[in-house]
């Protein structure tokens, strides 16, 4: 009987240890989900709000067409600009700002942020923000990493410098050699409330596919807003899939 009781106590002890380890593991997973140091890809919202974003790095050839289409449908967008591009296109930056759109930081020389030093990152961000502010009078607070490449440590660094790091949940693929209809279908089928959509400033036939996409969203009751009007600015967390959510 004593031997049986002893064995039972050992079994209960082991079960207790397993439960403790399981609980600790679940707690660890929960808090890692709640505090992921990754960019915002999408926003958790029930409202039919989305953001159209344009990366402007090399050419200004489509800026006027993009602005005219946005004006046509009375929607606002966010333009992520590279500092070196700003140097050569100050009038275009002024026009984007004048038309009521948001101009944010896409670095100064478009490097891969995982391959440069923390000091260089600071220079990249501050240089471009200064250029934007000199033209628009507004301080850039949102950053999109070139090529979409940025690790957790670099995200933390950007946040410590006052920037919210934002990527995208829908890639239009307008930078690839695909048809206009493929771009339209890709964006329409993958967009849902809270989506952040990536376009580029030098895509071919932007006057056609962008017009069709914005018209589609309008017809389907979507409100297209600036990124700063889509994301939450307090009392939020970013889960491990990059979705920004309000804390309950």
């Amino acid at each position: 009987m004593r031997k049986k009781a002893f064995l039972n106590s050992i079994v209960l002890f082991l079960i207790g240890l397993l439960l403790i380890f399981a609980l600790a593991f679940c707690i660890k997973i929960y808090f890692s989900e709640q505090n992921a140091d990754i960019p915002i890809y999408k926003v958790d919202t029930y409202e039919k709000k989305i953001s159209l974003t344009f990366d402007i790095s090399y050419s200004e050839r489509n800026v006027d067409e993009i602005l005219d289409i946005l004006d046509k449908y009375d929607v606002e967008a966010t333009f992520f600009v590279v500092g070196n591009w700003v140097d050569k296109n100050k009038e275009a930056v002024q026009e984007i700002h004048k038309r009521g759109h948001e101009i944010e930081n896409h670095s100064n020389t478009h490097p891969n942020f995982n391959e440069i030093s923390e000091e260089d990152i600071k220079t990249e961000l501050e240089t471009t923000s200064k250029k934007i502010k000199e033209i628009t009078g507004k301080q850039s607070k949102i950053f999109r990493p070139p090529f979409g490449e940025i690790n957790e440590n670099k995200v933390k660094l950007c946040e410590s410098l006052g920037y919210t790091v934002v990527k995208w949940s829908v890639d239009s693929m307008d930078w690839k050699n695909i048809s206009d209809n493929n771009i339209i279908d890709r964006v329409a089928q993958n967009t849902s409330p809270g989506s952040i959509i990536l376009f580029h400033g030098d895509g071919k036939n932007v006057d056609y596919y962008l017009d069709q996409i914005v018209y589609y969203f309008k017809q389907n009751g979507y409100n297209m807003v600036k990124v700063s009007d889509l994301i939450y600015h307090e009392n939020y967390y970013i889960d491990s899939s990059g979705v920004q959510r309000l804390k309950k």
Side-chain angles (χ1 to χ4, degrees), residues 50-200:
I50 57 177
S51 285
L52 309 180
T53 69
F54 298 86
D55 285 4
I56 313 291
S57 307
Y58 307 110
S59 170
E60 81 288 351
R61 69 182 185 191
N62 290 333
V63 170
D64 289 339
E65 288 85 350
I66 292 170
L67 292 176
D68 288 344
I69 292 167
L70 298 175
D71 280 353
K72 176 181 176 180
Y73 294 100
D74 192 26
V75 300
E76 296 177 332
T78 299
F79 290 75
F80 289 94
V81 299
V82 169
N84 284 350
W85 179 86
V86 172
D87 292 335
K88 302 174 183 177
N89 298 279
K90 293 181 181 179
E91 291 184 359
V93 176
Q94 289 174 335
E95 188 64 21
I96 294 169
H97 176 64
K98 178 183 175 182
R99 303 241 198 146
H101 304 291
E102 183 170 58
I103 301 173
E104 296 294 350
N105 200 316
H106 195 38
S107 80
N108 189 50
T109 62
H110 208 265
N112 185 324
F113 266 43
N114 290 336
E115 299 176 355
I116 61 176
S117 69
E118 292 189 356
E119 189 60 35
D120 286 340
I121 286 175
K122 184 177 180 181
T123 299
E124 287 282 333
L125 293 173
E126 291 181 347
T127 300
T128 302
S129 285
K130 183 179 179 181
K131 292 176 181 179
I132 294 171
K133 188 173 183 179
E134 286 176 349
I135 297 172
T136 68
K138 292 189 175 182
Q139 179 66 40
S140 172
K141 294 293 184 181
I142 302 173
F143 169 66
R144 171 170 285 166
F147 313 105
E149 296 290 338
I150 189 166
N151 61 37
E152 291 186 8
N153 288 334
K154 301 299 174 63
V155 171
K156 288 181 182 179
L157 174 61
C158 292
E159 291 172 345
S160 72
L161 296 171
Y163 295 90
T164 301
V165 183
V166 172
K167 288 183 63 174
W168 58 86
S169 58
V170 181
D171 187 347
S172 69
M173 291 291 183
D174 60 351
W175 54 276
K176 294 189 75 174
N177 187 27
I178 63 175
S179 73
D180 298 338
N181 287 332
N182 280 340
I183 293 172
I184 295 166
D185 290 343
R186 179 182 179 84
V187 173
Q189 292 173 12
N190 290 287
T191 298
S192 58
S195 290
I196 299 171
I197 306 169
L198 170 65
F199 295 100
H200 294 81

